[in-house]
Amino acid sequence: AQSVAQPEDQVNVAEGNPLTVKCTYSVSGNPYLFWYVQYPNRGLQFLLKYITGDNLVKGSYGFEAEFNKSQTSFHLKKPSALVSDSALYFCAVRDLKGGNFNKFYFGSGTKLNVKP
Amino acid sequence: DTAVSQTPKYLVTQMGNDKSIKCEQNLGHDTMYWYKQDSKKFLKIMFSYNNKELIINETVPNRFSPKSPDKAHLNLHINSLELGDSAVYFCASSPRTGGNTIYFGEGSWLTVV
């Protein structure tokens, strides 16, 4: 079965510092990987995705993610964190096989706290 | 224009009641979903429809019944509500092709008292 894991429940970073939110995946075949952000009392918003091509994917709000096949990771990064980046971040993988074709599996979420 | 809209946003109801949550998407997507987010923020898929046809039905009590009158709408009806049904329910949609993104509504906060 396809799955993603987010090993950190919470990440704390000071404003202006780089941030990394970790995600590892377990899939058979080529992975379709996604990052989403959820602000309090809101729905999930799409940030970026990796389908194929360059391992470094750029997305919304200055975020990027690096696909690493050997380490089966898809970590979310930003060079300089903003207080407004504080939110809950979800990594997801889309199942491409047979009857599960439309399933998106989400990680458990990582709460990012950016302190002024 | 809201891409995926769901109503109501907040719903407080008593145990044993029956309630419905409605969802509509104006993105022209073929596939729609219901996800449940529990108090620990864990997201779990409940149902998925593709062009009005049920394609994913996870282990969900049969008190939960989805209905898709057309591919732009997916409603969720819940019978005999229980305390454990309290959660945030998200509607979502996506194009059918594999590389495409899933888009979420703003959520419906259900509290059963």
Side-chain angles (χ1 to χ4, degrees), chain A residues 32 36 42 49 101-103, chain B residues 33 58 96 98 102 106:
Chain A
Y32 283 14
Y36 286 82
R42 302 294 301 277
K49 66 181 177 184
F101 184 77
N102 286 296
K103 277 191 180 180
Chain B
Y33 311 78
E58 293 294 280
R96 177 148 176 79
I102 186 170
E106 290 293 285

Side-chain angles (χ1 to χ4, degrees), chain A residues 5 20 22 31 33 36 43 45 66 72-73 77-78 83 110 113:
Chain A
T20 299
K22 295 180 180 177
L33 295 160
Y36 286 82
Q45 297 177 32
E66 185 171 9
T72 62
S73 66
K77 300 181 180 184
K78 187 172 182 181
V83 172
T110 299
N113 294 315

Side-chain angles (χ1 to χ4, degrees), chain A residues 32 34 36 38 41-44 46 49 51 88 90 94 96 99-108, chain B residues 9 31 33 35 37 41 43 48 55-56 58 90 94-102 104-106 109:
Chain A
Y32 283 14
F34 303 79
Y36 286 82
Q38 185 180 23
N41 299 324
R42 302 294 301 277
L44 278 73
F46 169 72
K49 66 181 177 184
I51 305 300
L88 188 59
F90 289 95
R94 184 166 187 170
L96 303 177
N100 290 330
F101 184 77
N102 286 296
K103 277 191 180 180
F104 287 77
Y105 296 92
F106 286 84
S108 54
Chain B
K9 186 171 177 74
T31 307
Y33 311 78
Y35 277 83
Q37 186 174 44
K41 306 298 184 184
L43 271 167
S48 178
I55 53 172
I56 295 173
E58 293 294 280
F90 286 102
S94 72
R96 177 148 176 79
T97 51
N100 283 296
T101 307
I102 186 170
F104 285 84
E106 290 293 285
W109 270 253

